[in-house]
Amino acid sequence: MATYVLVHGAWHGAWCWQRVTPLLEAAGHRVETVDLPGHGDNPAPASEMTLDANAATVADRVSAADGPVVLVGHSMGGISITQAAERVPERISTLAYVCAFLPGDGQSLPQLADGDPIGLVLPNLIVDEAAGLCTVAEPALRDVFYNTCTAEDAAWASAQLVPESLAATGAPVSITEERAGSVPRVYLECVHDHAIGIDKQREMWAARPCSKVVTLEADHSPFLSATPVLAAELLALAP
């Protein structure tokens, strides 16, 4: 029996995993879904929405979990789980990146996202410098995040998105190969992703080699558009 700790990406919350969770639990595993600061049931002002706070939140949940932990990050959640792994590498059996940013030491999300001709986030980003927050233009949400989801699922998810922190988005990770780098990595790439293009995903996992790469016929939200397949691939990672 393993514990899965599931970490959402930018603008989302723990709610995005609600269809995956029962499938993992039905196989006998424990599941913890994390709301990062300023998301879901974890309210926080923009000043407290930082990479350090995200990493601490994730690391605390990993430390409190029973048994070996499969730590899963979606999208920007890849940044959070990478930094958290620097804190508690001994508690994590696998880092699983679901169409996620996969940074090396000193890399930030903007650096990793740069030069992605498919990615639709930056062209549709609305930045509020004074508030320290950003959002994605509402008319673009389905095409960016949910392009192979049903219209109903896309509308449901879009309605729950919240502003994201500029500070957390822009911060570089600080990791070592001895700690975060020592944890086995798996990448689950999504070929129909419009937020992080498939070529960009492959560029990242080529730069940070993974023990396993899984290809999903899914958009940026496989927890909605390919739920059973995603759950099955995560179950295959149980130690």
Side-chain angles (χ1 to χ4, degrees):
M1 179 185 294
T3 297
Y4 287 83
V5 176
L6 309 180
V7 181
H8 64 81
W11 302 292
H12 288 67
W15 54 264
C16 72
W17 302 106
Q18 69 179 48
R19 294 184 186 174
V20 175
T21 295
L23 300 181
L24 302 180
E25 291 177 335
H29 301 293
R30 291 175 288 264
V31 180
E32 297 282 342
T33 57
V34 178
D35 274 320
L36 297 175
H39 301 76
D41 294 327
N42 188 3
S47 61
E48 296 176 12
M49 297 167 65
T50 64
L51 175 55
D52 282 347
N54 289 350
T57 299
V58 174
D60 286 348
R61 293 293 286 274
V62 169
S63 295
D66 294 326
V69 170
V70 179
L71 180 55
V72 182
H74 170 248
S75 192
M76 182 177 158
I79 304 286
S80 300
I81 68 170
T82 301
Q83 193 62 65
E86 183 70 12
R87 293 173 176 244
V88 287
E90 69 284 352
R91 296 287 295 115
I92 305 166
S93 66
T94 302
L95 289 167
Y97 295 81
V98 179
C99 54
F101 289 101
L102 175 49
D105 181 49
Q107 289 186 308
S108 66
L109 188 155
Q111 287 175 300
L112 292 169
D114 187 50
D116 182 0
I118 301 299
L120 295 179
V121 173
L122 286 179
N124 292 286
L125 197 65
I126 299 172
V127 175
D128 184 341
E129 294 279 3
L133 298 168
C134 62
T135 57
V136 174
E138 186 173 351
L141 289 175
R142 184 173 186 187
D143 200 19
V144 174
F145 298 128
Y146 316 114
N147 51 291
T148 69
C149 295
T150 66
E152 292 77 12
D153 284 346
W156 171 80
S158 296
Q160 300 186 73
L161 301 179
V162 297
E164 187 54 69
S165 160
L166 293 174
T169 303
V173 300
S174 178
I175 58 172
T176 61
E177 288 304 304
E178 294 75 21
R179 294 184 66 78
S182 69
V183 182
R185 297 183 292 271
V186 172
Y187 201 97
L188 292 83
E189 61 178 27
C190 294
V191 297
H192 305 299
D193 193 332
H194 288 180
I196 308 173
I198 185 61
D199 289 344
K200 177 58 70 172
Q201 293 176 56
R202 290 172 176 170
E203 177 186 304
M204 288 188 289
W205 64 249
R208 296 283 291 168
C210 297
S211 59
K212 181 179 181 181
V213 176
V214 175
T215 301
L216 303 180
E217 294 289 333
D219 58 12
H220 192 60
S221 303
F223 40 76
L224 296 178
S225 61
T227 310
V229 177
L230 174 60
E233 295 296 349
L234 292 177
L235 286 171
L237 305 179

